[in-house]
Amino acid sequence: MATLLIFHEVDDVDHWLSSPRRQELFGPMGMTVRTFVDPGKTNRVGLIVEVPDMDTFQRMMESEAAADAMKFDGVRPDTILMLVEPEPEPST
């Protein structure tokens, strides 16, 4: 499992929070999502996403379904910042 931390801006935080699209997109692929909002900047939001593997996540994010979900949710694609938790170093 890989853990991602994703930040981006949205047009309407309440709409984004109440949207079922994240679960519809991520859920069937075995991904879990936790949502966060920035109380100091009303249009910035974040996600912690647990993904089975990065290849599946990348393919999903490049799909038309992901583009449609982001558009529906009011995501501003040019503001997306994604961080990946590094793999633990093997102990020797």
Side-chain angles (χ1 to χ4, degrees):
M1 275 297 220
T3 302
L4 311 175
L5 182 58
I6 304 169
F7 301 98
H8 56 77
E9 294 176 2
V10 294
D11 296 332
D12 180 328
V13 173
D14 291 333
H15 172 78
W16 180 81
L17 283 170
S18 66
S19 174
R21 295 293 175 98
R22 278 182 303 283
Q23 184 57 37
E24 292 170 1
L25 192 64
F26 292 124
M29 299 184 146
M31 300 177 193
T32 61
V33 179
R34 292 173 48 201
T35 57
F36 297 84
V37 297
D38 179 352
K41 186 171 180 173
T42 59
N43 65 337
R44 182 179 295 156
V45 296
L47 305 165
I48 293 177
V49 184
E50 299 281 343
V51 301
D53 66 85
M54 287 302 294
D55 289 337
T56 300
F57 177 78
Q58 281 303 119
R59 279 194 307 277
M60 186 268 306
M61 288 303 293
E62 294 169 358
S63 72
E64 190 173 322
D68 290 345
M70 286 191 288
K71 184 175 181 178
F72 178 85
D73 285 352
V75 172
R76 300 174 185 169
D78 58 323
T79 66
I80 295 172
L81 171 65
M82 182 176 71
L83 306 175
V84 179
E85 183 177 40
E87 297 272 333
E89 300 226 0
S91 56
T92 55

